[in-house]
Amino acid sequence: MAQALTKPKGRVLIIAGSDSGGGAGIQADIKTVTALGGYAMTSITAVTVQNTLGVTGVHAVPVDVVKAQIEVVMGDLGADTWKLGMLGSADHVRAVLDAWHAFGAGVPIVLDPVMIAKGGASLLAQDAIEVIREQLVPVSAIVTPNAPEAEALTGVEVRDLDGQMIAAEILVEQLGAYSALVKGGHIDGEIVRDVLLTREGYRVFESPRIDTRATHGTGCTLASAIAAYNAQGTDIPNSVEKGRAYLMDAIRNAPGFGQGHQPLGHAWPCKLA
């Protein structure tokens, strides 16, 4: 059984796929949580063969192994927040949900519904979308889809601020998430707007678009930053605000590696130490 939660300790259990290029997935998640002072643990759902140019292979980890990783981590270390990324198949989604009910019920879930890699490769089976929508979204503290992912989950067009707000309403008011952050990075414009809806209402975050190729793993990084802050006792709205600030500086401090969609500078806070 999971350890009883007393006060937040910063423990984040990350359930996601591995990125051999280090820019997204489990690798970006661990770097982010560590840079922000949390403690990262993992249950790896898939091993991908990828670099900044794209994904050339996806190898799923057996469902029972994914669930076993969760069980042993929760039974020994416990967690203050779960961060979910690439789950891959409907069976993997169900296994993670079953594990949460068995070992983590009551622990907040930060759900980043990863569907497509930056280079265009599919990372989520079509039948898994329905399971995420109907079973995982309702138990999530926050869901953080980009515009295409929000469209897939809600069935509405997300091409502008109005679309983001409608999608957020569906995720929270109809599908049952505590909160939703519908991101605007995929929507054209010089200003990037992210729409947060909680049970207390809307908040729109705005930032000038950064002209850069360093965009690989931005979604993973933001969700992990939110989870890291939340695991240390910060509420969801403030975790989003602080997570976005961390992400923007990680983009600005990108190392410039790779020929395609480049990784972020996740360790930038360490440079200030």
Side-chain angles (χ1 to χ4, degrees):
M1 293 296 294
Q3 294 180 357
L5 299 181
T6 52
K7 61 180 181 179
K9 299 177 177 66
R11 301 164 297 176
V12 180
L13 174 56
I14 304 155
I15 304 170
S18 168
D19 170 8
S20 53
I26 285 283
Q27 285 80 353
D29 299 330
I30 293 172
K31 293 173 188 177
T32 299
V33 171
T34 303
L36 295 178
Y39 181 75
M41 303 159 289
T42 64
S43 172
I44 298 176
T45 60
V47 176
T48 68
V49 181
Q50 67 173 296
N51 54 24
T52 67
L53 297 173
V55 178
T56 58
V58 178
H59 304 273
V61 172
V63 168
D64 59 338
V65 177
V66 172
K67 193 170 182 179
Q69 292 176 83
I70 297 170
E71 180 176 3
V72 297
V73 167
M74 292 300 294
D76 178 33
L77 296 149
D80 300 296
T81 302
W82 284 23
K83 186 269 181 175
L84 309 186
M86 175 189 173
L87 299 179
S89 75
D91 286 342
H92 284 80
V93 177
R94 294 188 188 98
V96 170
L97 188 64
D98 288 346
W100 183 77
H101 284 297
F103 315 117
V107 178
I109 291 175
V110 176
L111 171 59
D112 181 26
V114 176
M115 298 181 186
I116 300 173
K118 189 69 69 179
S122 176
L123 299 177
L124 184 68
Q126 190 64 33
D127 62 345
I129 296 175
E130 181 177 354
V131 184
I132 289 175
R133 179 194 302 117
E134 301 297 330
Q135 299 183 41
L136 201 48
V137 168
V139 299
S140 296
I142 185 168
V143 187
T144 64
N146 59 32
E149 292 162 350
E151 289 182 347
L153 288 172
T154 66
V156 300
E157 285 192 352
V158 182
R159 311 293 168 84
D160 53 23
L161 185 61
D162 286 344
Q164 289 174 268
M165 296 179 79
I166 293 170
E169 286 179 7
I170 293 173
L171 289 167
V172 173
E173 296 175 7
Q174 295 185 26
L175 299 181
Y178 170 75
S179 64
L181 180 70
V182 180
K183 299 172 294 186
H186 286 71
I187 298 172
D188 292 338
E190 295 183 0
I191 301 297
V192 175
R193 295 179 176 86
D194 297 335
V195 174
L196 174 67
L197 177 62
T198 70
R199 302 300 170 88
E200 285 71 48
Y202 282 106
R203 185 170 176 184
V204 179
F205 298 88
E206 296 186 344
S207 302
R209 188 178 298 276
I210 301 172
D211 184 14
T212 179
R213 286 197 292 142
T215 58
H216 186 49
T218 49
C220 303
T221 298
L222 178 56
S224 287
I226 294 168
Y229 284 119
N230 182 247
Q232 295 174 79
T234 304
D235 63 20
I236 289 295
N238 285 301
S239 293
V240 171
E241 181 176 12
K242 295 170 73 172
R244 287 185 85 259
Y246 166 79
L247 172 63
M248 296 304 170
D249 277 324
I251 294 173
R252 295 185 187 100
N253 287 276
F257 298 148
Q259 304 170 64
H261 299 287
Q262 297 175 337
L264 312 182
H266 292 97
W268 72 261
C270 303
K271 299 177 182 178
L272 304 178

